[in-house]
Amino acid sequence: MNGRSALRLAKLQEALASGGTLHLRDAAELCDVSEMTIRRDLTTQPTAISLLGGRLVMANYPGVTPIYDLTEQQASHYQAKYRLCQRAIAYIEEGDTLFIDCGSTLMPLLSQLSHFHELTVVTYALNVANAVAALPNVRLVLLGGLFYAASQSFGSDNMAAAIERLGINKALISAAGVDLERGVSCFHFHEVAPKQAAIATAMQRLLVVDASKFGVVRPAYFAALDDFDVVVTDEEGAPQLLKSNSRVVPEIVIPSVTVA
């Protein structure tokens, strides 16, 4: 670990030791660095501190419920997510109908869809829809309902049935937590039905998740690891966790693309 980064994290952990939270702005002021430096420390170094909704908390602090913030997630582990999407794109074929999940993990994939002549994208995520709407080669199916701003996604009682009526070739699924015993999970319960419907309907199911999600359990369970055909992940811990499982596991794909 970088020495200065370690000192900053130790100072922040001491400030949080008595409980409560610390605003990112105040954390930066305490360490006499920029907010971006604090973000970088938290995402590149092992630490018990989490950044939730713009505030720092101890990850094991009792009574703290994690808050999903899409803006925070987009900045977190971006290069890893980019590399994962570089590998996931290899599974997409001309003419496919793709289910693309909500969240930030699959966003780097969307700009690469312009290389195809004809695709259909099915999604319940507004950020995904906005990204592909301008692509002339993509037919967009946006599943609507009640809008959830935190994840920029929609939910409705009939969304699962709508997905099951579609001929989906590949489902690209993201997750906020992957645990060998307790399965694959996310923050929001309204995401469970569309994820499960896409997994049940698709001809091929890909879980695209960086290693920071392994060993994590989030509130809304939606699948077991063996519900997927392929897990696209990175080298940092996840393959070892998967291989240590005695049960049958999906194919593991690790990116080899280097991002400067």
Side-chain angles (χ1 to χ4, degrees), residues 130-159:
N130 285 336
V132 303
L135 299 178
N137 61 318
V138 174
R139 179 170 54 181
L140 173 64
V141 179
L142 177 58
L143 304 165
L146 180 64
F147 181 65
Y148 293 84
S151 60
Q152 292 192 28
S153 60
F154 296 90
S156 70
D157 292 339
N158 60 4
M159 187 175 289

Side-chain angles (χ1 to χ4, degrees), residues 73-219:
Q73 295 297 319
Q74 286 173 338
S76 176
H77 302 280
Y78 177 80
Q79 290 191 347
K81 293 171 183 177
Y82 182 89
R83 290 192 293 269
L84 299 184
C85 288
Q86 287 286 89
R87 287 307 304 266
I89 197 76
Y91 287 86
I92 298 175
E93 299 176 286
E94 198 68 55
D96 270 347
T97 296
L98 309 172
F99 176 89
I100 298 183
D101 207 355
C102 67
S104 63
T105 299
L106 295 168
M107 291 303 292
L109 176 84
L110 305 179
S111 62
Q112 301 174 55
L113 299 183
S114 60
H115 302 309
F116 294 88
H117 294 294
E118 182 182 355
L119 292 172
T120 299
V121 168
V122 179
T123 188
Y124 62 111
L126 184 61
N127 59 332
V128 173
N130 285 336
V132 303
L135 299 178
N137 61 318
V138 174
R139 179 170 54 181
L140 173 64
V141 179
L142 177 58
L143 304 165
L146 180 64
F147 181 65
Y148 293 84
S151 60
Q152 292 192 28
S153 60
F154 296 90
S156 70
D157 292 339
N158 60 4
M159 187 175 289
I163 292 171
E164 290 166 358
R165 289 195 294 268
L166 299 170
I168 296 173
N169 300 100
K170 278 104 183 183
L172 290 94
I173 306 295
S174 60
V178 179
D179 183 83
L180 295 178
E181 297 301 322
R182 300 179 67 179
V184 188
S185 56
C186 59
F187 280 96
H188 302 119
F189 289 96
H190 76 272
E191 298 175 17
V192 171
K195 288 176 189 284
Q196 290 183 337
I199 291 168
T201 303
M203 297 176 65
Q204 188 175 38
R205 297 153 288 271
L206 291 85
L207 176 64
V208 184
V209 59
D210 67 82
S212 71
K213 308 301 192 300
F214 281 83
V216 176
V217 177
R218 296 305 185 193

